[in-house]
Amino acid sequence: MARVDDLLEAALNRVGAKPPDTATQAQKKSFSERVSQAVAEAIAEELRQRGLAGARPAPPGVTGDTGAERRMAGGIGAKKVDVTWATEESGLLLGISIKTINYRDARSGNFQKNLINRRGDMLIEAVTLHRRFPYAVLAALFFLDAGAARDGTNQRRSTFENAHQRLALFTGRDDPGGRDEQFEEFYLLLLDSGATQGRIKAFAVGEPTKEVAMEAVIDRLAELVALRNPDFYECVNGTIKRL
């Protein structure tokens, strides 16, 4: 496996077992928060290994401070960002938003209940950050329980398929002058909490049948950061080099 896969695997192992659907809301909320935190820490570690020194979150002392997630100034308000790489001369260069839906709605039996709310949260984040930092590369990692790909019926498509359709408008911002609410890259990830390995499957929004390796996801983000900052950085084999 690639290094990022090992990092994610180890991080998710530390999260522990997923509480059952009958668990309390507090237990479910705690699990979801621990998944988001674990993924953020693993991705930030991968970024630091690729030359994005100071990427957060990080263990205390690694970045010379607490290493906690950053609260970035935004165009319509400040916002805590799950994963960031920022420098003194450029401000925010890369931001990654992580959201999860881990549980079925008790009434409908599917995973779609909070899909639109989560989308709204992510789009507000993109707007405020892009207005302040139009050259920043923003990525969204939206995790769905693996069951979201199997909860379709004769009357409706699966939540996974619906999510691709409802998020497609908000990916592919390939120009700093593009729409603020668009992310440069938007991925849907299926999380199989019961698997012992290979529990994450990633897909670029709009391509539900084409799995993407997490290594390729990070490669793409590093390439975009270098492309947006040609006077300072280049990307060599997925690693950021200072010019």
Side-chain angles (χ1 to χ4, degrees):
M1 292 198 299
R3 180 181 55 211
V4 66
D5 297 319
D6 288 335
L7 289 168
L8 287 166
E9 192 68 41
L12 291 171
N13 284 339
R14 291 193 293 272
V15 169
K18 177 183 174 182
D21 288 342
T22 54
T24 65
Q25 284 301 316
Q27 291 171 317
K28 294 177 182 177
K29 181 173 183 289
S30 174
F31 175 77
S32 295
E33 290 174 346
R34 284 184 281 123
V35 168
S36 296
Q37 181 66 25
V39 170
E41 292 172 354
I43 296 295
E45 174 61 25
E46 174 68 14
L47 295 176
R48 289 192 295 276
Q49 294 283 340
R50 287 171 178 250
L52 284 70
R56 292 193 193 179
V62 170
T63 56
D65 48 30
T66 67
E69 65 180 356
R70 285 189 176 91
R71 184 169 182 261
M72 300 298 302
I76 57 174
K79 182 78 178 69
K80 279 189 175 181
V81 186
D82 295 304
V83 180
T84 54
W85 184 45
T87 65
E88 184 176 349
E89 67 232 358
S90 302
L92 182 66
L93 291 164
L94 172 65
I96 301 176
S97 177
I98 299 168
K99 292 288 183 292
T100 69
I101 294 179
N102 296 294
Y103 287 95
R104 296 177 186 272
D105 172 51
R107 185 184 63 79
S108 66
N110 62 55
F111 291 86
Q112 195 159 319
K113 179 181 178 182
N114 291 313
L115 176 62
I116 300 305
N117 288 341
R118 296 284 191 283
R119 182 183 70 178
D121 293 342
M122 298 175 103
L123 300 188
I124 289 295
E125 185 170 338
V127 168
T128 194
L129 293 176
H130 271 145
R131 286 195 181 177
R132 187 87 175 195
F133 304 101
Y135 284 79
V137 174
L138 300 184
L141 302 181
F142 195 163
F143 286 79
L144 300 174
D145 184 275
R150 304 186 296 269
D151 66 356
T153 67
N154 291 334
Q155 285 73 45
R156 63 178 290 279
R157 296 179 298 186
S158 71
T159 298
F160 177 66
E161 292 171 304
N162 284 332
H164 277 277
Q165 188 266 329
R166 297 186 184 196
L167 296 172
L169 186 61
F170 306 106
T171 187
R173 184 176 183 270
D174 58 5
D175 188 290
R179 290 160 40 222
D180 289 340
E181 71 274 18
Q182 263 187 320
F183 286 83
E184 273 69 13
E185 295 284 308
F186 207 136
Y187 295 93
L188 280 163
L189 302 100
L190 294 173
L191 174 61
D192 186 348
S193 299
T196 54
Q197 57 181 307
R199 63 183 74 187
I200 292 176
K201 293 183 178 180
F203 303 82
V205 162
E207 300 183 10
T209 62
K210 185 179 178 182
E211 186 178 347
V212 183
M214 282 304 299
E215 186 177 34
V217 171
I218 305 301
D219 283 348
R220 176 62 178 158
L221 298 182
E223 289 168 359
L224 286 173
V225 167
L227 186 65
R228 292 278 173 90
N229 301 275
D231 292 339
F232 290 111
Y233 305 105
E234 64 177 348
C235 182
V236 180
N237 298 324
T239 296
I240 291 291
K241 304 287 187 185
R242 176 86 185 194
L243 295 176

